[in-house]
Amino acid sequence: MAQATTDGGTEHGGTGHGGTGYGGRRRWPLLAAVAVDALGTGLYLPLSLLYFLKVTDLDLATIGVLISVTTALTLPVPLVVGRLVDRLGPRLVVAGGQALQGLGFLLYLAVSGEFSLVAAVLVTTVGLRVYWSSVFTLIADQADAEGAEAKDHWFARTGMIRESGAAAGALLAGALLTLDSARVYDGLILGSALAYLVAALVVVVAVPSAPHAPPPAEGPSGHRALLRDRPYLALIGICTIFALCSSFLALSLPVYVVQGLSGPAWAPGPLLALNTLLLATCTAALTRFVRRRRTRARAMAWAGGLWALWCAASAAAALLPSGALVPFLVAVVVCYTLAEMIYGPASNALAADAAPAGSRGTYLAAFQYSFAGANIVAPGLFGLLFSQDRLLPWLAVGLLAALGAVLMLRLERRLPPERRPSGHQGRARDSVREGTA
């Protein structure tokens, strides 16, 4: 495989990532599209299975199985989308994914039984896979136009916007659902559909085109290059461990607090809200602070260490008296959130820069399997371990987090050397990638 450059294979002028001038004008359309897309997600989140229970005669078990099987059928989609992004560029592919999600939600309005449910979920989930398999390439290409060091800031900003948009949508939906009207359900679904379609329109009309390197005419590219690229495959494997850690808070906190710790039933909601608030407001500032002091790989290793500390503290909560439980859990959630804020932008930027320019779409689409794998494994792992002992999930995930941190430090020297921001503390690495064909 050709040596990957540290800036994704292209160099462009710009204003950096200060948010003014040309860089600011480039950034707002994509941030607006992400915000509207996230609003659509948030509007649907409180409905989820509830909508299908409302509009069909199917029971919860049947609905759950149909959704799970349909979702599993879409797992190969990123493999196709990555190649499409490499050949066409990511902008229209991202818009296509959003348009498919909008169409899928319009089909929700016609759901009445098994077949129509599967059709609606299939279209929506394919759109979701298309979007997530291409949007990170779009962000990376837009960041390249501002300079090689803008990626972390772009990923941090888009993450913050997504958290804010989803939270706003969920709050609005939650307030409207108190009316308990069939029209409210249909209105929220229609609102989600319109949000995705508007986001697609913004991407097509307002997001500027950015240079995107095509696949090389000679030599391996796409999936052939990826399968020979052992360091990148190792990166995907390690990030699957970290994604498992990242997915565990919302999954485990409500059950652990109420059943495992006999804590107050009201506590999980505010604790999860605190996580969302910090992610939506502090990610960019923390990313900037960490980026000037650590390489991306070392930042990810630090995140792994914080997740291991989070697991140890969560287990230790079982020893506390009831009066000290909630304040302690606030500190525990802050620890988890620090790890998530550090990990997200660093991992996405590293995955983009470690990919060869002509195969970035394929590589970043494959990188999404780290999240897909974690989302498949996490619920079963938590349920199995928690049913045996309330502390077992924290022991297992804590050990995995520590293992991921160690492996990330070992992998660092086999990844492309980073160009560090001016004024950083410490020395940039002077290593080269090993083990690639």
Side-chain angles (χ1 to χ4, degrees), residues 7 9 61 98 137 174 236:
D7 61 354
Q98 292 171 320
T137 306
I236 293 174

Side-chain angles (χ1 to χ4, degrees), residues 62-159:
T62 301
I63 292 172
V65 169
L66 289 174
I67 292 176
S68 295
V69 171
T70 305
T71 301
L73 292 176
T74 66
L75 284 175
V77 169
L79 298 176
V80 178
V81 173
R83 292 295 286 170
L84 194 62
V85 169
D86 285 335
R87 296 188 180 280
L88 302 180
R91 192 166 63 94
L92 294 181
V93 180
V94 168
Q98 292 171 320
L100 277 174
Q101 290 179 82
L103 174 61
F105 276 107
L106 289 177
L107 292 176
Y108 273 41
L109 297 174
V111 169
S112 59
E114 295 180 1
F115 179 79
S116 55
L117 186 153
V118 168
V121 171
L122 182 63
V123 173
T124 305
T125 309
V126 168
L128 188 70
R129 299 277 189 215
V130 171
Y131 175 78
W132 284 111
S133 300
S134 55
V135 70
F136 291 107
T137 306
L138 179 61
I139 294 170
D141 284 359
Q142 295 290 316
D144 280 341
E146 294 186 26
E149 290 305 325
K151 285 189 183 68
D152 302 78
H153 185 77
W154 267 85
F155 283 117
R157 284 292 180 191
T158 52

Side-chain angles (χ1 to χ4, degrees), residues 14 24 36 128 146 157 220 224 260 275 283 340-341 347 351 417 436:
V36 176
L128 188 70
E146 294 186 26
R157 284 292 180 191
R224 287 187 298 165
N275 167 251
T283 301
E340 195 171 9
M341 288 192 290
S347 62
T436 57

